[in-house]
Amino acid sequence: MATQVLFLIEILVAAFVLWLGLYAITRDLPWRHESERLWQRAPLLTGAGLVLASVYFFGNAMKMVSSRPEEFMRWQQLTLWGIPIAVALFLMAVVELTRAGRPVPR
């Protein structure tokens, strides 16, 4: 019973983080600004990081209910790669937010 409740909580958290990531991406769509590069906008970086974090959370939920050790390792290998990339995207978003008031050198 406790595993089922934790699984549902993990799925809800993953779905919320995915929704939040997609919402952040749609706040600053790429075709609204032609002058800036694609990866120099904080909402796009943050949204991409949140989407990758949601992949990790969905993988954690699947690891929780996996029955065999091989299945557990497969889910761990499939979802662990997104976290370092998400952290890098969040750090890039912080850098872009601190540069937001300064003119970008061309």
Side-chain angles (χ1 to χ4, degrees):
M1 178 67 180
T3 304
Q4 293 172 345
V5 171
L6 287 174
F7 176 73
L8 287 175
I9 290 172
E10 191 81 29
I11 290 292
L12 287 174
V13 167
F16 176 73
V17 171
L18 177 65
W19 173 84
L20 189 61
L22 294 175
Y23 177 78
I25 287 173
T26 59
R27 295 302 94 204
D28 194 22
L29 295 173
W31 55 81
R32 290 186 183 167
H33 308 281
E34 287 88 19
S35 63
E36 295 181 23
R37 292 186 188 166
L38 185 65
W39 292 106
Q40 287 187 339
R41 291 193 301 278
L44 188 61
L45 293 171
T46 304
L50 285 170
V51 168
L52 286 174
S54 74
V55 169
Y56 174 75
F57 289 138
F58 277 122
N60 264 352
M62 296 309 291
K63 285 191 298 188
M64 189 180 304
V65 294
S66 61
S67 57
R68 298 183 323 235
E70 298 87 18
E71 191 177 351
F72 176 84
M73 289 303 293
R74 182 174 58 101
W75 281 109
Q76 186 174 13
Q77 291 172 352
L78 285 175
T79 59
L80 200 56
W81 61 269
I83 293 302
I85 298 171
V87 169
L89 289 172
F90 283 127
L91 291 175
M92 287 173 58
V94 169
V95 168
E96 290 302 320
L97 284 173
T98 57
R99 291 177 16 141
R102 301 180 192 151
V104 177
R106 303 246 180 229

